């Protein structure tokens, strides 16, 4: 069953205790959703339908996970089913609520109190068979926020479809999740919950605000106000979110801000700050998106790939819901896309698109449809306590080539997320041919990097390292050549579709290997490494110039 912008007919499912609206107005008609948003909803929920296991009452995980079934994806599916409200959908949603809530951790003495299992097969964390090595080991503290925010949509917009007992059960679960979320304090017990961790911080803020108002818990409501003020104070330094320009998590942030604006209490700081924060997120996207390449230019604080046309990104969902699938940076073949997990999230983005596009400047929409021409973009982002000073961002945009870079000085390697496979402080993207996108990305091995993009050039140096620190090297990953068409990659100066001149004070003899173990975001790539002489003293540098 597909949603349309017309009225839906009578609900055919008359399960005991389930309310049926007659006639029922579709979510798209009620909210004024665009045809693009409706198409995204239909396409993505039908994808989720294929992973539904009716015997288990969960969605099967589409990729490697902590078990056969995925509790978070299933939780996302519940409000999607309620929005569609086709035959049997409400009954499925009720089963999901029951199943996911049965896996909520209820021990108040544990750090994971109020969190949900990643998969129903997972044992209790902190046991001999499933040890607790801190957050993101045997439990993921962010699941509280992803589940909680999805269920805010369910209860706020579709509670009238549910039995009173189910509504009460979900409210109680959200109350526990919100109270458990307050156990999170950045720097305590290994937790990284700081305002600079933008996407979960934005989600926890609306979770506290909405649940507090719903159940009458003033402590939660006050926490929501405090969290909103903290992230706004950080954002307002440069009008950028600290988790800068992530093709995935910038999308989560925009979705969460849409929830702030739609569901935040009327007198809250969320309603006060949310519109500006979302508007500036759109403006940033409009500057960094290249409609010719169908990609967001770098740098990326966190990325799951090097070509948005090959993996499911959540900025891809934002753009699809705004201008349509054909013009959006999403894979044409959904069966073969990388990072498939996040496609389960797309219908929730569709439901929020009517709110999100209220803050879309006309110029940004024009830029999403047609590349505006060569330009530079500069900005800053700051992630305390990880950054020693704000990161300086430079990006050069041209018709078929983009270069993005950021200067960073941190305490550890891997960006604020401490994850070298996601952190991409320097990257060049270009059109290899009519359908392949090449990328040269800098694989970080240093915590202090001076990377600057300029028209036609990328310059990288390490200002705070010497040979006494061990082998110093410049590592690059080249990806995107899926069909060589006779081209032989010979190094950074020998990549297809781009003429590059390299200058460096590293040793001239580089190493190059081809990696197919999919250990970095599932992509295959060439690893090209330049190493500094052992006796070198000074500042290592490497520059790439397009000629």
């Amino acid at each position: 069953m597909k949603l349309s912008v017309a009225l839906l007919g009578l609900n055919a499912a008359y399960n005991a205790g389930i309310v049926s609206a007659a006639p029922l107005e579709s979510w798209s008609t009620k909210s004024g959703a665009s045809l693009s948003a409706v198409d995204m909803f239909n396409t993505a929920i039908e994808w989720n339908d294929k992973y539904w296991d009716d015997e288990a009452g969960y969605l099967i995980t589409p990729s490697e996970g902590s078990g056969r079934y995925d509790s978070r994806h299933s939780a996302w599916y519940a409000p999607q089913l309620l929005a569609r409200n086709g035959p049997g959908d409400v009954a499925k949603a009720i089963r999901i609520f029951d199943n996911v809530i049965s896996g909520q951790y209820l021990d108040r003495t544990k750090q994971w109190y109020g969190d949900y299992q990643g998969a129903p097969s997972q044992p209790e964390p902190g046991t001999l068979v499933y040890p607790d090595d801190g957050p993101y080991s045997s439990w993921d503290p962010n699941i509280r926020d992803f589940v909680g925010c999805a269920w805010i949509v369910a209860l706020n917009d579709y509670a009238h479809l549910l039995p009173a007992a189910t509504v009460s059960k979900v409210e109680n679960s959200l109350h526990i999740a919100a109270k458990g979320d307050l156990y999170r304090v950045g720097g305590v017990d290994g937790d990284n919950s700081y305002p600079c961790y933008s996407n979960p911080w934005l989600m926890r803020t609306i979770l506290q605000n909405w649940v507090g108002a719903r159940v009458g818990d003033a402590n939660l409501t006050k926490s929501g106000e405090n969290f909103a003020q903290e992230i706004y104070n950080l954002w307002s330094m440069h009008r950028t979110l600290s988790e800068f320009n992530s093709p995935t998590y910038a999308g989560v942030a925009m979705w969460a801000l849409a929830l702030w604006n739609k569901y935040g209490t009327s007198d809250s700081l969320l309603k006060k700050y949310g519109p500006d924060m979302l508007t500036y997120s759109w403006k940033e996207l409009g500057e960094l998106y290249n409609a010719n390449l169908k990609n967001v230019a770098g740098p990326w604080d966190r990325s799951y790939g090097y070509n948005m046309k090959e993996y499911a990104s959540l900025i891809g969902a934002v753009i699809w819901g705004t201008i349509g699938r054909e013009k959006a940076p999403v894979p044409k073949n959904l069966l073969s896309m990388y990072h498939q997990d996040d496609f389960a999230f797309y219908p929730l983005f569709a439901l929020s698109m009517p709110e999100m596009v209220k803050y879309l400047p006309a110029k940004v929409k024009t830029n999403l449809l047609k590349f505006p021409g060569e330009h530079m973009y500069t900005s800053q982002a700051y992630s305390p306590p990880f950054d020693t000073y704000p990161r300086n961002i430079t990006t050069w945009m041209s018709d078929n080539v983009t270069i993005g870079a950021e200067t960073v000085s941190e305490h550890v390697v891997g960006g604020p997320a401490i994850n070298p496979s996601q952190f991409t402080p320097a990257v060049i993207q270009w059109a290899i041919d009519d359908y392949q996108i090449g990328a040269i990305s800098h694989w970080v091995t240093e915590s202090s990097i001076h990377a600057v993009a300029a028209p036609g050039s990328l310059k990288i140096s390490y200002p705070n390292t010497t040979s006494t620190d061990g082998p110093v090297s410049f590592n690059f990953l080249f990806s995107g050549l899926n069909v060589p068409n006779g081209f032989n990659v010979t190094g950074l100066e020998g990549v297809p579709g781009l003429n590059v001149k390299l200058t460096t004070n590293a040793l001239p003899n580089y190493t190059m290997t081809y990696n197919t173990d999919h250990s970095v975001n599932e992509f295959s790539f060439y690893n090209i490494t330049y190493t500094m002489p052992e006796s070198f003293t000074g500042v290592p540098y490497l520059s790439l110039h397009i000629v």
Side-chain angles (χ1 to χ4, degrees), residues 250-394:
V252 178
M254 292 180 73
W255 177 71
L257 286 169
L259 301 188
W260 278 34
N261 295 340
K262 183 174 182 180
Y263 302 117
T265 54
S266 59
D267 59 347
S268 67
L269 293 178
L270 288 74
K271 288 284 194 183
K272 179 179 179 181
Y273 298 145
D276 270 356
M277 295 176 74
L278 184 51
T279 299
Y280 273 87
S281 294
W282 276 117
K283 289 180 178 179
E284 180 182 286
L285 177 59
E287 290 288 334
L288 291 169
Y289 182 67
N290 187 312
N292 295 337
L293 300 180
K294 288 188 177 179
N295 267 270
V296 174
W300 310 309
D301 278 352
R302 298 181 67 190
S303 176
Y304 290 117
Y306 309 105
N307 179 5
M308 294 170 69
K309 295 191 293 183
E310 294 184 359
Y311 73 99
S313 72
L314 296 175
I315 284 294
V318 170
I319 297 175
W320 179 350
T322 304
I323 61 173
R325 181 178 180 180
E326 287 303 310
K327 296 182 181 297
V330 294
K332 287 187 176 180
N333 188 330
L334 300 179
L335 293 176
S336 63
M337 64 184 167
Y338 298 127
H339 205 66
Q340 294 186 2
D341 295 45
D342 280 346
F343 201 68
F345 208 167
Y346 274 45
L348 282 173
F349 274 68
L351 295 179
S352 293
M353 287 311 303
E355 184 68 28
M356 203 178 295
V357 298
K358 289 179 183 178
Y359 307 93
L360 169 65
K363 180 182 177 182
V364 173
K365 185 173 183 179
T366 299
N367 288 357
L368 296 179
L369 289 165
K370 182 179 180 180
F371 180 65
E374 181 178 343
H375 62 276
M376 284 291 301
Y377 174 80
T378 60
S379 188
Q380 289 182 297
Y382 186 38
S383 296
F386 304 101
D387 290 334
T388 60
Y389 58 78
R391 304 188 303 283
N392 294 310
I393 294 152
T394 50

Side-chain angles (χ1 to χ4, degrees), residues 104-122:
Q104 188 172 29
Y105 301 125
L106 302 178
D107 187 340
R108 295 172 182 266
T109 68
K110 303 299 184 183
Q111 195 178 358
W112 48 87
Y113 171 63
D115 203 5
Y116 301 88
Q117 290 173 309
S121 58
Q122 286 183 297

